[in-house]
């Protein structure tokens, strides 16, 4: 099991390798070595160690489901009626535009990331989601720019 202590124990070069791989899991050893300033052998050894220790769990492919056009994204900050978080989460699971949900503490119970082709679609999705049983309130915050997306 990987703990925060394992990640905190990584040096700057290991973190740089991980950051590059999070951005592009198919990055070649040659490109990684140029970006990081180490030899190919040193980068390969570090990656092997990160895999062996379980810090790198695997590599994955991501598919593009939206068209080539721009997309709009928004975070929904949802407050639920008492005992209804699971019901709301299950209802959100049925909407393909919902890309991520997190159960959180504090003023809100759930934060959901939604993606749609335009703001009008975001508006319609918010209206649909706001009508779910178990939602007390929903606040919407549109994403203007994502300077880091891994």
């Amino acid at each position: 099991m990987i703990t925060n202590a394992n990640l905190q124990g990584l040096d700057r070069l290991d973190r740089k390798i991980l950051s590059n791989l999070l951005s592009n899991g198919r990055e070649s050893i040659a490109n990684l070595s140029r970006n990081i300033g180490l030899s190919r052998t040193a980068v390969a050894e570090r990656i092997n160690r990160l895999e062996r220790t379980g810090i790198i769990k695997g590599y994955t492919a991501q598919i593009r489901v939206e068209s080539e056009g721009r997309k709009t994204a928004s975070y929904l900050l949802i407050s639920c009626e008492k005992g209804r978080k699971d019901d709301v989460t299950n209802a959100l699971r049925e909407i393909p535009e919902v890309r991520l949900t997190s159960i959180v503490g504090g003023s809100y119970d759930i934060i959901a990331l939604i993606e749609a082709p335009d703001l009008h679609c975001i508006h319609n999705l918010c209206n649909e989601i706001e009508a779910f049983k178990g939602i007390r309130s929903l606040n919407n915050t549109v994403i203007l720019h994502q300077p880091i997306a891994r």
Side-chain angles (χ1 to χ4, degrees):
M1 176 111 204
I2 302 303
T3 64
N4 285 340
N6 295 105
L7 293 176
Q8 290 173 352
L10 298 177
D11 67 13
R12 181 183 58 80
L13 296 172
D14 285 341
R15 289 184 173 283
K16 202 166 181 182
I17 290 170
L18 288 174
S19 179
N20 277 268
L21 288 174
L22 284 168
S23 296
N24 180 6
R26 294 180 51 129
E27 188 72 72
S28 70
I29 299 289
N31 284 341
L32 283 171
S33 68
R34 276 191 291 277
N35 292 341
I36 293 161
L38 290 176
S39 70
R40 291 180 189 183
T41 304
V43 169
E45 287 173 358
R46 284 174 176 265
I47 289 173
N48 286 334
R49 181 179 39 78
L50 293 168
E51 290 171 342
R52 258 191 337 274
T53 59
I55 291 181
I56 294 177
K57 294 191 315 185
Y59 302 87
T60 184
Q62 295 180 344
I63 59 170
R64 184 188 331 247
V65 292
E66 71 274 353
S67 66
E68 290 296 320
R70 296 180 348 185
K71 67 179 181 226
T72 303
S74 178
Y75 285 106
L76 304 182
L77 309 170
I78 302 169
S79 294
C80 299
E81 295 171 358
K82 190 172 185 173
R84 301 296 300 268
K85 285 183 240 177
D86 289 341
D87 296 336
V88 172
T89 300
N90 288 332
L92 289 169
R93 188 174 279 121
E94 301 300 317
I95 298 177
E97 293 88 353
V98 174
R99 304 293 293 199
L100 172 84
T101 60
S102 298
I103 305 292
V104 297
S107 301
Y108 301 101
D109 298 305
I110 299 171
I111 297 176
L113 172 64
I114 60 174
E115 292 179 347
D118 55 43
L119 287 174
H120 184 72
C121 290
I122 294 282
H123 172 75
N124 289 336
L125 283 166
C126 288
N127 283 341
E128 178 183 347
I129 292 168
E130 196 170 35
F132 288 172
K133 288 187 188 263
I135 291 183
R136 184 176 40 233
S137 70
L138 181 143
N139 289 313
N140 176 12
T141 182
V142 175
I143 297 172
L144 300 175
H145 176 58
Q146 290 179 315
I148 299 173
R150 297 181 175 157

